[in-house]
Amino acid sequence: MFDTQYFWFETFSKNLENVDDIEKEEGIEDTAVIFLHVEMEDENRKNKVVKAAVKNFKWYLNKVDKNRIVLHSFAHLSSSISSPEFAEEIISEIKEKLQNKGIEVHTTPFGYFSQFSIHVRGESLAKVFKEV
């Protein structure tokens, strides 16, 4: 999780064949950016994962005094990845629950590699890792 002054991204290339063609570029100021990864083990504990993620993201937003968040799927650095369909479902549920709590939620396109620029603040809480 990152407390950022600015996050900009642009779709670069598809990494899943069955996703829609999307060309998207967006810049978001003063936001928390979450690089999130859904693991194979999470498929057996979906409700717990969603609940814990929402709780942790809300905690972080409160700590950094933000009401805006970007969810970025970042699965390619792990050896334990869930199915793409399950990961997309989890991210969608997390997004919906956060929006229902009045939080502005942005997502990078699922199934794409994106290029991005990020300006992370310097405080120690500006960079936090949580495992749920």
Side-chain angles (χ1 to χ4, degrees), residues 3 30-32 58-68 121 125:
D3 178 12
D30 202 28
T31 187
K58 281 189 63 205
W59 168 85
Y60 188 69
L61 289 167
N62 185 53
K63 287 292 186 186
V64 296
D65 194 28
K66 299 276 185 292
N67 195 41
R68 180 179 303 126
R121 297 181 193 283
L125 228 111

Side-chain angles (χ1 to χ4, degrees), residues 9 19 21 42 47 51 57 69 87 98 103-104 117 123 126:
F9 73 89
V19 295
D21 290 336
D42 297 335
N47 292 338
K51 184 176 180 179
F57 299 164
I69 194 167
L98 289 170
I103 296 165
E104 179 184 329
S117 294
E123 297 85 0

Side-chain angles (χ1 to χ4, degrees), residues 16-126:
L16 295 174
E17 289 295 320
N18 62 336
V19 295
D20 293 336
D21 290 336
I22 298 172
E23 288 186 27
K24 184 174 182 180
E25 178 179 357
E26 186 174 6
I28 303 130
E29 294 184 9
D30 202 28
T31 187
V33 176
I34 309 298
F35 283 41
L36 91 124
H37 165 72
V38 182
E39 297 183 337
M40 200 177 320
E41 307 80 61
D42 297 335
E43 294 187 17
N44 297 321
R45 53 189 201 106
K46 177 183 170 187
N47 292 338
K48 183 176 181 179
V49 169
V50 170
K51 184 176 180 179
V54 169
K55 179 180 176 184
N56 277 285
F57 299 164
K58 281 189 63 205
W59 168 85
Y60 188 69
L61 289 167
N62 185 53
K63 287 292 186 186
V64 296
D65 194 28
K66 299 276 185 292
N67 195 41
R68 180 179 303 126
I69 194 167
V70 177
L71 303 177
H72 175 65
S73 176
F74 197 72
H76 58 278
L77 294 181
S78 174
S79 60
S80 172
I81 58 174
S82 74
S83 71
E85 297 79 16
F86 183 76
E88 189 173 26
E89 183 179 331
I90 288 278
I91 293 167
S92 179
E93 284 191 32
I94 291 169
K95 178 180 180 177
E96 181 181 339
K97 289 189 182 302
L98 289 170
Q99 287 174 324
N100 288 342
K101 296 180 182 303
I103 296 165
E104 179 184 329
V105 183
H106 299 261
T107 55
T108 58
F110 187 84
Y112 278 80
F113 291 120
S114 295
Q115 53 190 356
F116 54 87
S117 294
I118 185 170
H119 182 176
V120 178
R121 297 181 193 283
E123 297 85 0
S124 66
L125 228 111

